[in-house]
């Protein structure tokens, strides 16, 4: 459980400061102490925790006090205690991102290079949704998987109308736009490479929510009575539901100006599971593709790099990184090698710790 507390603390710090880096932080000494003692944690007070920092009087420590207090409330106290919940409501804190990200879109580069990306509802505030377990089945029948844990915290995601969603994961961006129509199923689309100055760290919130949900699930399943479905099967489905959105590594911003768009990779996609509808044509029944199930993944191939001639980079280093990435993709473009589209279970893996 201490490993979960350490992960929760690190994500808590990132929520306070999106630019947090353990290697250069004023809390470096404290974090090193927690890492050394994670297998046999001992209780700490706030002052004791700060005492592990090299510069205990560093003014930068003050802003982390709420997170440190949350950490010491569970660290080394034994038992199964979730990291304290700190996320309430559907709002997200705005902060620095300052990194290159990707966004999948079917609109052509000429249009995007000219107008950039803006959210669909101009005055909307980013809305974080789906962060609690719920029975979303259309049937009113009892759901033995979700009904017992309704209300448990889980990784949510952003309402796409309320922000411009992005990801640092190239493969995740290739899923978008989702193949919900015959046109999107067949046509090529684009992965835009963008520089994002500031925005919303959705993924940090997702990780914290998932950790809290998993802690509560462990407590609940420890006393849950056996039922018709084996406990191991219930557990596997539940953890997938709690963690599934983590694989998207979602970030968001209010807008991306044209000058912050470095360029676009044109890609073609092949989906593992294509959906069909039955139609009649001249007296014969035919099956017509209507879309695909993105959750089953597939593959995609980069076929072209289109640079934005008006891109402005925050430094020469960013420009060099973009040029090297575009060059690296020349191999797949030339020989036809593809990339695997991600699936939900890419967001987590079973622990190998002993």
């Amino acid at each position: 459980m201490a490993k979960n507390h350490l992960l929760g603390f690190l994500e808590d710090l990132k929520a306070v400061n999106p630019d947090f880096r353990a290697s250069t932080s004023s809390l470096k000494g404290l974090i090193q102490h927690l890492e050394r003692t994670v297998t046999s944690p001992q209780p700490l007070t706030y002052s004791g925790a700060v005492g592990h920092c090299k510069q205990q009087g560093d003014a930068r420590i003050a802003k982390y006090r709420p997170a440190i207090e949350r950490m010491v409330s569970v660290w080394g106290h034994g038992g199964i205690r979730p990291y304290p919940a700190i996320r309430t409501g559907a709002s997200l804190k705005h902060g620095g991102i300052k990194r290159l990200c990707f966004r999948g879109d079917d609109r052509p580069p000429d249009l995007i290079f000219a107008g950039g990306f803006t959210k669909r509802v101009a005055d909307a505030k980013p809305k974080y949704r789906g962060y609690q377990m719920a029975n979303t089945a259309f049937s009113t029948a009892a759901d033995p998987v979700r009904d017992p844990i309704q209300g448990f915290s889980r990784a949510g995601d952003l309402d796409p109308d309320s922000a411009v969603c992005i990801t640092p994961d190239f493969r995740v961006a290739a899923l978008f736009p989702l193949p919900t129509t015959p046109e999107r199923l067949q046509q090529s689309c684009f992965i835009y490479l963008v520089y994002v100055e500031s925005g919303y760290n959705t993924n940090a919130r997702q990780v914290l929510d998932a950790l809290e949900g998993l802690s509560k699930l462990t407590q609940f399943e420890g006393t849950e009575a056996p039922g018709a479905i084996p406990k191991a099967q219930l557990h596997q489905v539940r953890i997938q539901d709690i963690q599934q959105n983590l694989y998207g590594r979602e970030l968001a911003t209010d807008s991306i100006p044209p000058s912050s768009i470095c360029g676009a990779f044109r890609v073609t996609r092949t989906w593992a599971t294509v959906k069909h509808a039955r139609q009649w044509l001249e007296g014969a029944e035919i099956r017509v593709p209507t879309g695909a199930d993105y959750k089953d993944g597939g593959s995609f191939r980069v076929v072209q790099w289109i640079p934005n001639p008006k891109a402005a980079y925050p430094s020469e280093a960013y420009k060099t990184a973009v040029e090297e990435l575009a060059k690296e993709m020349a191999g797949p473009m030339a020989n036809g090698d593809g990339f695997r589209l991600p699936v939900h279970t890419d967001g987590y893996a079973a622990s190998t710790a002993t």
Side-chain angles (χ1 to χ4, degrees):
M1 183 54 68
K3 291 182 180 179
N4 282 345
H5 292 162
L6 177 55
L7 288 172
F9 180 49
L10 292 174
E11 293 300 331
D12 199 348
L13 296 174
K14 291 177 184 177
V16 175
N17 175 18
D19 294 327
F20 175 82
R21 297 289 184 275
S23 59
T24 58
S25 172
S26 56
L27 302 183
K28 179 179 178 180
L30 170 59
I31 293 169
Q32 290 176 334
H33 168 75
L34 298 178
E35 290 173 340
R36 286 194 303 268
T37 61
V38 70
T39 57
S40 56
Q42 298 298 314
L44 290 167
T45 62
Y46 172 78
S47 59
V50 174
H52 289 284
C53 300
K54 185 175 182 180
Q55 300 292 335
Q56 300 173 30
D58 193 325
R60 295 177 296 170
I61 294 176
K63 67 174 177 286
Y64 296 119
R65 179 167 187 140
I68 297 172
E69 290 179 339
R70 284 188 283 268
M71 181 274 295
V72 300
S73 72
V74 295
W75 188 262
H77 289 281
I80 302 174
R81 298 189 183 190
Y83 192 85
I86 60 172
R87 289 82 53 208
T88 59
S91 61
L92 292 172
K93 183 179 178 182
H94 188 273
I97 293 182
K98 301 181 185 300
R99 67 173 300 170
L100 294 169
C101 294
F102 302 96
R103 175 178 169 85
D105 207 293
D106 56 359
R107 290 172 291 178
D110 287 349
L111 179 65
I112 298 301
F113 291 170
F117 292 105
T118 58
K119 50 191 174 184
R120 297 170 191 166
V121 181
D123 59 349
K125 293 183 178 180
K127 182 180 180 182
Y128 181 69
R129 62 184 184 177
Y131 51 93
Q132 290 181 317
M133 289 295 300
N135 184 351
T136 57
F138 295 107
S139 170
T140 57
D143 183 343
V145 174
R146 296 166 187 84
D147 284 352
I149 60 171
Q150 285 195 64
F152 278 30
S153 179
R154 68 185 292 271
D157 65 357
L158 274 176
D159 180 342
D161 288 346
S162 68
V164 177
C165 296
I166 48 179
T167 176
D169 192 316
F170 181 72
R171 295 186 308 116
V172 169
L175 290 171
F176 298 93
L178 297 178
T180 53
T181 66
E183 294 75 22
R184 287 180 171 177
L185 175 67
Q186 298 173 5
Q187 70 186 16
S188 61
C189 60
F190 302 92
I191 300 177
Y192 287 93
L193 177 56
V194 300
Y195 173 76
V196 182
E197 180 68 26
S198 62
Y200 308 92
N201 192 346
T202 316
N203 191 235
R205 167 77 188 258
Q206 290 174 320
V207 170
L208 290 171
D209 284 344
L211 286 171
E212 181 186 345
L214 292 174
S215 295
K216 289 185 177 179
L217 181 66
T218 301
Q219 291 177 306
F220 169 76
E221 290 185 338
T223 59
E224 184 180 22
I229 301 176
K231 280 193 171 186
Q233 184 178 341
L234 286 173
H235 177 71
Q236 184 64 25
V237 176
R238 286 166 175 169
I239 63 171
Q240 287 181 6
D241 276 3
I242 288 172
Q243 299 184 127
Q244 67 173 356
N245 285 336
L246 294 180
Y247 83 118
R249 299 176 64 192
E250 187 179 66
L251 302 172
T253 188
D254 291 309
S255 64
I256 302 175
S259 60
S260 293
I261 300 171
C262 309
F265 295 99
R266 187 164 69 89
V267 302
T268 57
R269 306 181 292 185
T270 302
W271 300 97
T273 304
V274 177
K275 300 177 181 179
H276 293 83
R278 293 184 298 177
Q279 294 184 7
W280 290 87
L281 179 64
E282 298 179 352
E285 183 180 349
I286 59 173
R287 297 176 73 242
V288 179
T290 59
D293 189 343
Y294 76 94
K295 293 181 180 179
D296 290 341
S299 63
F300 71 98
R301 186 168 63 91
V302 176
V303 296
Q304 185 182 13
W305 164 248
I306 307 168
N308 178 10
K310 296 183 179 180
Y313 297 91
S315 71
E316 194 65 26
Y318 280 91
K319 183 179 180 180
T320 300
V322 169
E323 291 172 346
E324 290 179 351
L325 177 60
K327 184 178 180 179
E328 183 178 336
M329 294 300 174
M333 285 192 291
N335 59 34
D337 290 346
F339 298 89
R340 186 178 68 87
L341 286 163
V343 294
H344 284 163
T345 50
D346 289 344
Y348 57 91
S351 173
T352 57
T354 56

